[in-house]
């Protein structure tokens, strides 16, 4: 029987990451960044990647990483979700790193693990594991094409680009044209990456690398969604204890107690699903099923928690100064990242041989 409870080491890691994010990613600071031309927090990323070595958690020590597992990464992502931290952790330290682990590209892997460079898999954020994705044309050693919806492309130093010859190529960011797209989640901006004869270095076969990367991204995204849901629930409970109406705390009204109790049950269930996915990725057992279960459930809970927070904070929740809108946008954007809940339910039905009537 797998133990899904957090270990002492994981709780210590959580405390350290939360302290760091308290210093670097306070809500007013994140909101101010979203209004600027540079939404990413490079200081927070440097502290996470360089100071704490968290960019290399999934990379073996022999290849310049920390040699940890997906369980530790999940704890980091829970805390990043709680802070809606504008750092490219999921895209570089998880998705791009997993793609490189499927290839023989130790030099690039070491660079990403150290945090010296940021990588981005040039596949749209909305693509589910195993689903079709756009490729670029490979011709005479150079790459031509346009890839849209690439998350965190604005801060990437290197792109991992799938081409029509079946290869995955490393392309330096300065050889590509990156055009920002309008994205709902201002803390994880999307961009279009255009390659016009860009040189690329073949790393390996694209299909297994992209599948592995997106599967890990989908499975660990559930932990980020858990962080979003936990923060919104905790803050809503705290606010309803303080806010008074008819000279009594609003949280004392029976109808609101029922709504919060229901939400608490959903969040606890999401924690079990997210932990299950992280543990499956770490152990390599029943991974596809665990990831599909987590993603089939996570989106609705994170969005519901953020919607309830917005409603129950009443007028103040509707203001730009209050951070709840950041959480709702992150939850909504995450609900289509790495496949929708519906896509994962369909995948799950196939995996357990439960076909639609």
């Amino acid at each position: 029987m797998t133990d899904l409870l957090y270990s002492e080491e994981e709780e210590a890691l959580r405390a350290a990451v939360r302290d760091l994010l308290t210093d670097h990613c306070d809500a007013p600071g994140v909101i101010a960044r979203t209004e600027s031309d540079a939404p990413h927090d490079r200081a927070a990323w440097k502290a996470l990647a360089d100071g704490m070595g968290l960019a290399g958690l999934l990379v073996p020590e022999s290849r310049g990483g920390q040699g940890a597992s997906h369980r530790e990464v999940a704890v980091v992502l829970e805390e990043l979700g709680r802070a809606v931290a504008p750092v490219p952790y999921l895209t570089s330290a998880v998705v791009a790193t997993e793609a490189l682990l499927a290839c023989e590209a130790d030099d690039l892997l070491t660079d990403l693990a150290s945090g010296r460079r940021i990588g981005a898999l040039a596949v749209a954020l909305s693509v589910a594991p195993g689903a079709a994705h756009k490729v670029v044309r490979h011709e005479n050693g150079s790459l031509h094409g346009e890839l849209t919806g690439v998350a965190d492309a604005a801060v990437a130093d290197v792109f991992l680009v799938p081409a029509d010859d079946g290869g995955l190529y490393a392309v330096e960011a300065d050889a590509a044209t990156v055009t920002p797209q309008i994205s709902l989640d201002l803390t994880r901006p999307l961009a279009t990456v255009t390659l016009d004869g860009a040189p690329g270095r073949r790393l390996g076969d694209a299909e297994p690398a992209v599948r592995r990367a997106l599967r890990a991204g989908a499975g660990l995204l559930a932990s980020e969604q858990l962080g979003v849901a936990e923060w919104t629930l905790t803050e809503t409970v705290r606010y309803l204890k303080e806010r008074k109406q008819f000279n009594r705390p609003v949280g004392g009204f029976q109808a609101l107690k029922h709504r919060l109790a229901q939400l608490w049950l959903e969040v606890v269930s999401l924690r079990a699903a997210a932990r299950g996915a992280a543990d499956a990725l770490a152990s390599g057992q029943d991974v596809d099923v665990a990831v599909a279960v987590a993603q089939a459930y996570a989106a609705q809970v994170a969005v519901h928690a953020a919607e309830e927070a917005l409603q129950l904070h009443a007028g103040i929740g509707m203001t730009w100064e209050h951070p709840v809108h950041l959480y709702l946008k992150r939850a909504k954007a995450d609900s289509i990242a790495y496949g929708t809940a519906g896509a994962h339910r369909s995948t799950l039905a196939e995996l357990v041989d439960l076909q639609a009537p």
Side-chain angles (χ1 to χ4, degrees):
M1 182 67 184
T2 301
D3 184 2
L4 297 183
L5 298 176
Y6 300 100
S7 67
E8 284 185 24
E9 292 81 4
E10 287 164 354
E11 290 292 7
L13 174 62
R14 177 193 307 287
V17 174
R18 189 174 294 189
D19 283 351
L20 187 151
L21 293 174
T22 300
D23 292 341
H24 282 278
C25 291
D26 62 313
V30 174
I31 292 170
R33 284 190 181 284
T34 65
E35 297 173 323
S36 72
D37 294 332
H40 291 93
D41 190 334
R42 289 184 177 271
W45 171 252
K46 184 172 171 55
L48 286 164
D50 194 19
M52 295 182 70
L54 300 182
L57 286 181
L58 293 177
V59 181
E61 290 182 36
S62 60
R63 299 167 84 175
Q66 305 298 322
S69 79
H70 299 79
R71 288 177 60 118
E72 287 81 10
V73 173
V75 170
V76 175
L77 281 166
E78 284 178 34
E79 292 307 310
L80 293 176
R82 285 181 65 93
V84 285
V87 293
Y89 191 84
L90 182 65
T91 46
S92 183
V94 176
V95 177
T97 295
E98 285 276 356
L100 290 173
L101 285 167
C103 305
E104 294 299 319
D106 284 10
D107 57 331
L108 205 45
L109 199 55
T110 303
D111 285 348
L112 260 60
S114 68
R116 285 194 298 271
R117 307 187 80 199
I118 295 169
L121 181 66
V123 172
L125 183 63
S126 57
V127 175
H133 55 83
K134 284 182 71 176
V135 295
V136 298
R137 194 172 83 254
H138 181 259
E139 197 174 275
N140 300 326
S142 59
L143 302 168
H144 306 261
E146 185 177 272
L147 299 157
T148 58
V150 180
D152 294 331
V155 286
D157 300 301
V158 61
F159 293 111
L160 310 180
V161 182
D164 58 3
D165 67 344
L168 186 70
Y169 290 83
V171 176
E172 294 299 318
D174 56 14
T177 303
V178 178
T179 311
Q181 291 177 246
I182 296 172
S183 47
L184 176 65
D185 180 6
L186 302 171
T187 60
R188 182 175 284 144
L190 306 178
T192 297
V193 177
T194 307
L195 305 176
D196 188 8
R201 172 164 67 102
R202 187 181 173 114
L203 303 170
D205 294 335
E207 197 276 328
V210 171
R211 178 183 286 270
R212 173 175 174 167
L214 296 183
R215 187 175 71 168
L220 291 169
L221 177 68
S223 292
E224 176 182 292
Q225 290 165 305
L226 171 61
V228 169
E230 284 192 320
W231 184 91
T232 49
L233 174 59
T234 302
E235 279 301 301
T236 304
V237 170
R238 184 187 64 75
Y239 177 73
L240 293 182
K241 284 179 177 177
E242 294 175 356
R243 176 89 167 84
K244 286 190 168 59
Q245 202 168 39
F246 306 117
N247 214 26
R248 57 182 285 198
V250 174
F253 292 106
Q254 189 78 351
L256 298 191
K257 284 183 179 179
H258 283 299
R259 284 170 69 172
L260 293 170
Q262 175 60 38
L263 197 55
W264 181 83
L265 288 171
E266 291 177 21
V267 172
V268 170
S269 300
L270 172 53
R271 183 181 301 123
R275 292 297 290 166
D279 188 72
L281 283 162
S283 66
Q285 296 180 327
D286 294 325
V287 181
D288 291 330
V289 170
V291 168
V293 166
Q295 274 308 313
Y297 187 64
Q300 73 183 62
V301 177
V303 172
H304 183 213
E307 287 176 344
E308 288 287 75
L310 187 71
Q311 286 189 17
L312 296 176
H313 274 82
I316 192 175
M318 298 295 291
T319 64
W320 186 259
E321 289 76 16
H322 196 281
V324 74
H325 67 92
L326 295 176
Y327 291 84
L328 181 56
K329 290 168 185 170
R330 172 65 68 91
K332 291 293 279 187
D334 280 358
S335 70
I336 60 168
Y338 306 118
T340 61
H344 286 283
R345 279 194 287 271
S346 297
T347 300
L348 183 60
E350 290 176 22
L351 289 169
V352 299
D353 201 23
L354 184 67
Q355 299 304 316

